[in-house]
Amino acid sequence: MCWFTVKYATMVWWKAAALMLAETVSLGILSVPSVFATLGMAAGVILVLGLGSIATASGYMIGAFKNRYPHVQNMADVGMVLAGPLGREVLGAAQIIFMVFVCGSHVLTGLIAFDTITAGASCSVLWAGISAIICLVLTIPRTLAGISYLSVVSFISILTAVLITMIGVGVAGHKGGITAHVNLDFASAFLAVTDIIFAYAGHVAFFTFISEMKNPEDFPKTLWALQIADTTLYLIVGIVVYAYAGASTVSPALGNTGTVLKKISYGIALPTIMIAGVINGHVCSKLWFLIRRFRRDDGKASRHMTTHTWTGWLAWIGICFSVWAVAFIIAEVIPFFNDLLGVISAIFASWFTYGISGIFWFWLTPRSERWSTPWQKTKAIFWGFIIMMGAFIMVAGLYSSISDIADGYRDGSFSSPFTCADQV
């Protein structure tokens, strides 16, 4: 049965920027102040600026790869270009796993928000389920164009919530001293670094966003709008909250105020917690939809993707349900915010945000041109460094996250899976 066409590639550049900002900033900004508290003010500022600059360069390289291969819509397509069918399956699976984990972090944050607002009046598992259901319902629209309007609400939501938090900690006054730098063991320090990496981890969805843009050549404007906005916000929120909360800074950042303001902040932040999760869930579901062969072998979309058919809609809703069901399980099995971000940043964001862009440069640049001029040599060294940086982040970040999770279970600071206990 066929009704009418599903229209893709309709977003103007500012809608894409709003989506990217909502997807990237939502959870990343909530962990930044605790990074400043862990590493010190100087290291926090340097990391935000340094990793943000590299993320801008890697985002530009994603745009260059998309320009060379217009048919690429996701990491699975990237894998097909780089390594054939095996690469398609590996990178496609990696993107799905990464984004399901990100969805899980949104369910976990929704759980924390509801627990905070209700003062633990009900079972935490119930709040996780409600968060997952809300996200599922909002993920069902088939295109990103409609969701882009929600992203404006999402951005206003998180901006207002962190503004209230900054005002709250400012009114409360300084709770403790701040330091320019601190002495930490490697695992603790690098776990904080992975939180900043996660704050710039929106690159995994860039191909999908560009594919739904009306004029893909406008992507550089979208990228610059995103990177200027998120880096500025991370610096302001990180510096202000840490300057007042001091060593007692907690993560998520909205928990640094008094009880009443904390409830208000989480209430206002609920839209961004949900909507940003929906954006990730939509991108993940869209990739799964394509991998399920609703795009033909010749690369063209089948009628189930481009028109409203019973088969297409049932498959789409089933995939969306599966994504959020798994996200709910992840949120309940791994009930700790910063370490969850650390694990997924180490395994996936290390490559999707940084390392793979270095591979793109070498793939797009002919071997004869890589060392032809001093400038080309500089770029070759830089992108080679980015590849090694991705590999180092993956190994070091995974070691740090696993070490911290083991310590948490050993000293009893983590709750057990599927517990009704208050998660705040």
Side-chain angles (χ1 to χ4, degrees), residues 35 39 42-53 189 192-193 196 200 354:
V35 173
L39 299 178
V45 171
I46 291 171
L47 278 171
V48 169
L49 290 175
L51 291 175
S53 298
V193 173
I196 298 295
Y200 290 109
Y354 298 106

Side-chain angles (χ1 to χ4, degrees), residues 101-175:
F101 266 82
V102 173
C103 291
S105 68
H106 281 274
V107 173
L108 176 58
T109 310
L111 179 161
I112 294 171
F114 281 120
D115 256 348
T116 301
I117 295 168
T118 62
S122 187
C123 179
S124 293
V125 178
L126 173 64
W127 296 130
I130 290 175
S131 299
I133 291 171
I134 293 172
C135 290
L136 167 62
V137 172
L138 294 177
T139 304
I140 289 176
R142 294 271 290 274
T143 68
L144 284 169
I147 298 176
S148 64
Y149 291 103
L150 291 178
S151 67
V152 177
V153 176
S154 173
F155 180 67
I156 294 173
S157 165
I158 193 63
L159 192 63
T160 305
V162 296
L163 184 61
I164 290 173
T165 299
M166 289 190 290
I167 293 172
V169 296
V171 171
H174 296 279
K175 294 182 180 179

Side-chain angles (χ1 to χ4, degrees), residues 62-83:
I62 288 174
F65 193 89
K66 172 69 174 176
N67 186 56
R68 178 75 65 86
Y69 301 99
H71 70 281
V72 170
Q73 297 184 38
N74 46 59
M75 287 297 172
D77 291 340
V78 169
M80 186 67 184
V81 171
L82 297 180

Side-chain angles (χ1 to χ4, degrees), residues 132-133 136 139-140 285 288 314-328:
I133 291 171
L136 167 62
T139 304
I140 289 176
S285 300
W288 196 346
L314 289 174
W316 174 253
I317 293 172
I319 289 170
C320 292
F321 176 83
S322 299
V323 167
W324 287 107
V326 176
F328 166 77

Side-chain angles (χ1 to χ4, degrees), residues 22 25-27 30 106 153-155 157-159 161 268-277:
V25 169
S26 59
L27 295 189
L30 299 183
H106 281 274
V153 176
S154 173
F155 180 67
S157 165
I158 193 63
L159 192 63
I268 293 174
L270 271 175
T272 199
I273 293 170
M274 300 302 165
I275 294 169

Side-chain angles (χ1 to χ4, degrees), residues 274-295:
M274 300 302 165
I275 294 169
V278 166
I279 295 170
N280 284 285
H282 181 98
V283 173
C284 179
S285 300
K286 182 69 64 64
L287 171 57
W288 196 346
F289 196 64
L290 292 172
I291 289 178
R292 290 278 298 169
R293 304 299 183 264
F294 284 102
R295 189 169 60 182

Side-chain angles (χ1 to χ4, degrees), residues 212-259:
E212 295 219 22
M213 289 180 67
K214 188 175 182 179
N215 298 305
E217 61 273 13
D218 288 338
F219 175 69
K221 290 193 293 186
T222 303
L223 177 65
W224 278 109
L226 165 69
Q227 293 302 106
I228 291 172
D230 62 11
T231 300
T232 302
L233 286 171
Y234 294 157
L235 283 175
I236 292 173
V237 174
I239 290 171
V240 172
V241 173
Y242 174 50
Y244 284 96
S248 62
T249 302
V250 299
S251 181
L254 303 183
N256 287 289
T257 58
T259 302

